[in-house]
Amino acid sequence: MQKLIETGEKENLKDMLRTKLVECGWRDDLREHCKEVIRSKGLERITVDELVQIITPRGRDTVPDQIKADLLQRIRQFLQST
């Protein structure tokens, strides 16, 4: 992990992941889910921490398999090159 940070590859991977998630619509879907949760619970009756606890499992579960595979491949390539 330290090598990823030192070389700047961690930031590159985060940027790639962020871009791919936006492109596939994952971010918009999760944003809509947040809005639904807030509407159902009520804005005044939910904290940010509670919202994070509710949406995190869905967020993780809905990341497309291809994006996970691409990220894993990039990490493997990095590890082999160091």
Side-chain angles (χ1 to χ4, degrees), residues 3-4 7 9 75-82:
K3 277 263 195 226
L4 284 171
T7 62
E9 186 62 17
I75 293 169
R76 285 185 177 142
Q77 287 173 345
F78 174 80
L79 292 174
Q80 289 174 351
S81 69
T82 59

Side-chain angles (χ1 to χ4, degrees), residues 12-56:
N12 292 339
L13 291 170
K14 285 170 47 177
D15 289 342
M16 181 218 43
L17 180 60
R18 189 176 301 114
T19 300
K20 287 183 178 256
L21 289 173
V22 168
E23 287 173 353
C24 77
W26 177 90
R27 185 176 177 193
D28 292 335
D29 290 343
L30 198 58
R31 181 180 294 133
E32 281 305 311
H33 180 59
C34 287
K35 289 178 183 179
E36 290 169 15
V37 170
I38 291 169
R39 272 189 233 113
S40 70
K41 297 271 186 185
L43 183 60
E44 301 301 321
R45 292 187 299 244
I46 190 166
T47 66
V48 172
D49 290 336
E50 291 170 331
L51 182 61
V52 169
Q53 282 184 326
I54 292 169
I55 66 165
T56 296

